[in-house]
Amino acid sequence: MFHLVFYIFIGALNLFYTDASKNGSNSELWIITASSSLSVDGKTNINTFKCVVSSYGKTDTLNIDLRKDGNSFFKIKSILDIPVSNFDCHHKMMTKDLQKTLKMNEHPLMYIDIKSLNRLPNEALQSGSTGDIHISLAGAKVKYQLQFNGKSYPNYLELVGKRHIHFSDFGLIPPSKLGGTIKVKDQLDVEVRLHMRKIS
């Protein structure tokens, strides 16, 4: 039943944007698929760890305004909301500590707001792309610039964006254990994997 509803939804979007293009639409619409993912790599003073959201779990859209108007970036409309509870650090205590540090009870969602790209997704396959995003986490919003690289697969295009961020960017204190004997470093390496299909 889900697949039937999904394909009806895609068909309706295709029809809408086909009609819009006849009227001089200046946009591209992409579907961000449920298989998109997010990973965070970090370090403590004694080892490393990885926390992942292995699947976005739903579909979303990315709308690109093709009119640069003298600006070197294409404006994007796409906000991804990710439940903090979906992070898995492959260790129960580490997962719990991360979710507590990110204030999951007060701010259950992390938002990734993609604001712009300097190249269209198809163009990123050859030359990569630079994008501006806003990350909202634990009640704070921070602007970052990500470098995206593209790769083509039979049924979708993958954009992979990477960036160093810090707990302190969001006013957060990294977790520690055993009276401070084990301390998580402030820096985190974030990787966003967007699986996308163009529908107009």
Side-chain angles (χ1 to χ4, degrees), residues 64 72-74 76 115-119 121 129-131 148 159:
I64 304 175
S72 60
F73 283 75
F74 297 100
I76 307 292
K115 307 297 289 187
S116 65
L117 290 170
N118 72 331
R119 291 189 181 92
S129 183
T130 300
F148 287 93
L159 284 184

Side-chain angles (χ1 to χ4, degrees), residues 104-119:
M104 182 180 70
N105 290 337
E106 297 94 332
H107 305 281
L109 294 175
M110 170 185 182
Y111 296 96
I112 299 178
D113 184 357
I114 304 171
K115 307 297 289 187
S116 65
L117 290 170
N118 72 331
R119 291 189 181 92

Side-chain angles (χ1 to χ4, degrees), residues 5-22:
V5 172
F6 175 72
Y7 285 116
I8 291 174
F9 169 72
I10 295 299
L13 284 175
N14 270 317
L15 179 60
F16 174 80
Y17 280 93
T18 297
D19 289 341
S21 65
K22 292 177 181 178

Side-chain angles (χ1 to χ4, degrees), residues 22 27-28 99 115 139 158 181:
K22 292 177 181 178
S27 66
E28 281 188 3
Q99 292 171 346
K115 307 297 289 187
E158 180 182 67
T181 304

Side-chain angles (χ1 to χ4, degrees), residues 89-166:
C89 301
H90 310 294
H91 185 283
K92 187 175 181 180
M93 189 59 67
M94 175 60 78
T95 299
K96 185 177 180 180
D97 287 345
L98 178 70
Q99 292 171 346
K100 181 179 179 180
T101 299
L102 300 184
K103 302 180 181 180
M104 182 180 70
N105 290 337
E106 297 94 332
H107 305 281
L109 294 175
M110 170 185 182
Y111 296 96
I112 299 178
D113 184 357
I114 304 171
K115 307 297 289 187
S116 65
L117 290 170
N118 72 331
R119 291 189 181 92
L120 297 174
N122 284 333
E123 297 172 346
L125 296 175
Q126 288 77 36
S127 306
S129 183
T130 300
D132 290 326
I133 70 168
H134 292 172
I135 296 179
S136 297
L137 185 64
K141 180 190 292 185
V142 181
K143 179 181 178 180
Y144 295 104
Q145 192 168 84
L146 267 67
Q147 299 301 315
F148 287 93
N149 290 307
K151 188 173 182 179
S152 181
Y153 291 90
N155 297 317
Y156 63 92
L157 179 151
E158 180 182 67
L159 284 184
V160 181
K162 299 181 179 181
R163 171 77 198 206
H164 299 313
I165 70 171
H166 299 82

